[in-house]
Amino acid sequence: MKIQITLVLLFISCMGFAQGNTNYDETQVPKFTLPDLMTSFSGNPITTEKEWEENRRYEILQFFEKQVYGKVPGRLDEYSYKLIEENNKAYNGKARRKQVAITLKKNKKSVTYNILIYLPKKNPTAPVFLGYNFYGNHTVTNDPEVPITKAWVANNEAFGITDHKASERTRGIRTHRWAIEKMLDNGFGLATIYYGEVDPDKNDFSDGVHPLFYREEQTQPKTNEWGSISAWAFGLSKAMDYLENDANISNVIVFGHSRLGKAALWAGATDKRFAGVISNNSGCGGAALSKRRFGETVEKINTSFPHWFADSFKKYNNNERTLPVDQHQLLALIAPRPLYVASAAEDTWADPRGEFLSAHYASSVYKLYGKSGIDTADFPEVNKPVQHTVAYHIRTGKHDVTDYDWEQYMTWAKTFLP
Ligand code: GTR
């Protein structure tokens, strides 16, 4: 009996060791050296914009592509979009609404997803925020003209979703996360897509965009190929193919919250057409530095969500020390375009300080372009945004998107967007 109990205890403590307990203690952050943005992998100093663009930016991008998010395996055979409906009486006549279906085709397979767009009618052209939503386009608004998504959605007891199907009951449940009227009043538009129409968020590579690219008999991407974050980023880029041709849109700022913030950052890094990038509480694998191992770690994220990153990223589970890059380098890939990183004080899982430091360290590349970033490493006070071409705020409250966040994003976009 005693032996049995000892064995059980030993097993439990081994599990604890293997999984690692979550660290929320600043004094327990391991000592680490951040890979230098301005020294190439082969040890050469980077001193000019040209060297950054042609050498360092390229090699960092390649690393993230092959070892972190995963490569898009090829090109589509066909791309098309269709304006499904348009109306200029939305939001009491304040907005023009457009719903556009994007179809991606390859190897005789296709995926279609919908962009819901609201544009301020008072302006002939407007900058828009493009961001994925978590439960369907119909959840961001009470507008009855937005169809309920037919795609797979995650079950959610509070929303009454039990069979992975969205229903009328979920219309408008996420309006608090999208300050649409404020955007319209401030001359901004919104373009949003349900991320599950591009790739359902489950560890299953038989649906979404991945299978379009499979060779015969293939059932999942190769080791260095795309996980779901990369697939979602690809979906944003393909949405951009439409948005850049919409005569009522002047600029597109890609936005995302949490896992979708990770996707927005990767989209901004890989597609220079995005005029600005906003990471809202993106955390591990997003803006937060991995090597700090504070809150969520690489091992934890790769275990809970094995489908988010390339398989090759798993070799850094509990092994962040050997990562030749860190997330400040992902942020630097966005330079010199405006970048906003935002945290929430109660969102310790996402490591607010790690998100801030990442924005701070990325700023050296912005400097190279003559742009201002976050010069100081002193963590700002809560609700005191620091806004330059690189901006940061930590607000009170939990992991979420609030009106406060949108108000800061709009102030910043008005000042720093081209
Ligand atoms: C958590 C995950 C985070 C973040 C979050 C979200 O469970 O650990 O990395 O992405 O989900 O997307 O809400």
Side-chain angles (χ1 to χ4, degrees), residues 167-398:
S167 71
E168 195 56 45
R169 195 178 146 184
T170 54
R171 184 178 300 284
I173 43 146
R174 278 288 166 84
T175 49
H176 73 280
R177 280 196 174 177
W178 302 90
I180 297 176
E181 296 221 38
K182 281 201 173 121
M183 291 180 198
L184 296 169
D185 293 343
N186 280 281
F188 290 93
L190 172 70
T192 186
I193 301 164
Y194 169 49
Y195 80 137
E197 290 185 2
V198 175
D199 184 28
D201 192 359
K202 49 189 161 116
N203 187 18
D204 170 358
F205 284 102
S206 68
D207 49 18
V209 291
H210 294 101
L212 264 56
F213 292 80
Y214 290 163
R215 304 248 162 100
E216 244 174 87
E217 311 274 305
Q218 193 181 347
T219 56
Q220 62 184 60
K222 294 183 192 152
T223 314
N224 290 328
E225 287 178 353
W226 52 351
S228 290
I229 293 173
S230 176
W232 297 323
F234 177 76
L236 291 168
S237 253
K238 293 293 125 193
M240 189 62 189
D241 290 358
Y242 163 76
L243 297 169
E244 70 173 352
N245 289 307
D246 186 316
N248 300 121
I249 295 176
S250 55
N251 256 329
V252 179
I253 306 154
V254 66
F255 157 89
H257 169 62
S258 205
R259 67 198 67 184
L260 300 177
K262 307 178 211 292
L265 287 170
W266 184 231
T270 48
D271 190 337
K272 290 185 178 176
R273 293 174 300 171
F274 292 115
V277 183
I278 301 171
S279 149
N280 192 93
N281 310 178
S282 64
C284 180
L289 294 174
S290 302
K291 290 178 193 280
R292 278 171 48 82
R293 295 176 51 86
F294 188 103
E296 188 170 31
T297 60
V298 170
E299 189 252 357
K300 283 183 205 293
I301 205 165
N302 277 334
T303 307
S304 310
F305 308 101
H307 57 294
W308 280 4
F309 296 86
D311 248 2
S312 45
F313 191 45
K314 298 197 170 88
K315 64 174 167 290
Y316 299 104
N317 286 355
N318 271 323
N319 193 17
E320 290 88 344
R321 214 173 30 84
T322 64
L323 247 176
V325 296
D326 209 329
Q327 299 302 109
H328 64 303
Q329 288 168 299
L330 169 72
L331 303 187
L333 296 175
I334 294 160
R337 291 164 292 149
L339 163 71
Y340 204 127
V341 175
S343 310
E346 289 167 35
D347 188 18
T348 48
W349 179 243
D351 186 14
R353 189 182 290 270
E355 295 182 312
F356 165 72
L357 287 173
S358 194
H360 163 63
Y361 290 117
S363 297
S364 55
V365 175
Y366 281 80
K367 220 180 217 162
L368 206 58
Y369 287 96
K371 301 278 180 190
S372 53
I374 312 278
D375 286 342
T376 166
D378 295 338
F379 200 24
E381 274 176 55
V382 172
N383 299 333
K384 294 259 165 64
V386 184
Q387 298 193 350
H388 300 285
T389 299
V390 184
Y392 177 85
H393 74 240
I394 173 164
R395 62 156 169 81
T396 39
K398 60 183 175 59

Side-chain angles (χ1 to χ4, degrees), residues 83-220:
L83 183 64
I84 301 289
E85 74 98 22
E86 193 177 9
N87 180 289
N88 63 6
K89 294 195 183 70
Y91 285 92
N92 295 321
K94 248 192 235 179
R96 197 192 313 268
R97 181 187 61 234
K98 297 186 192 188
Q99 301 193 67
V100 177
I102 306 283
T103 298
L104 314 179
K105 279 195 189 149
K106 191 166 175 76
N107 295 325
K108 303 201 171 75
K109 287 175 259 183
S110 72
V111 163
T112 297
Y113 58 101
N114 297 284
I115 319 179
L116 166 65
I117 304 167
Y118 291 111
L119 297 164
K121 234 171 60 189
K122 58 179 179 180
N123 302 335
T125 67
V128 306
F129 296 106
L130 166 66
Y132 278 124
N133 62 73
F134 281 83
Y135 286 95
N137 292 350
H138 65 282
T139 63
V140 312
T141 176
N142 290 312
D143 184 344
E145 299 304 319
V146 181
I148 310 283
T149 184
K150 293 190 183 73
W152 181 96
V153 288
N155 284 340
N156 182 321
E157 226 176 291
F159 298 164
I161 309 172
T162 52
D163 51 1
H164 297 294
K165 284 196 185 77
S167 71
E168 195 56 45
R169 195 178 146 184
T170 54
R171 184 178 300 284
I173 43 146
R174 278 288 166 84
T175 49
H176 73 280
R177 280 196 174 177
W178 302 90
I180 297 176
E181 296 221 38
K182 281 201 173 121
M183 291 180 198
L184 296 169
D185 293 343
N186 280 281
F188 290 93
L190 172 70
T192 186
I193 301 164
Y194 169 49
Y195 80 137
E197 290 185 2
V198 175
D199 184 28
D201 192 359
K202 49 189 161 116
N203 187 18
D204 170 358
F205 284 102
S206 68
D207 49 18
V209 291
H210 294 101
L212 264 56
F213 292 80
Y214 290 163
R215 304 248 162 100
E216 244 174 87
E217 311 274 305
Q218 193 181 347
T219 56
Q220 62 184 60

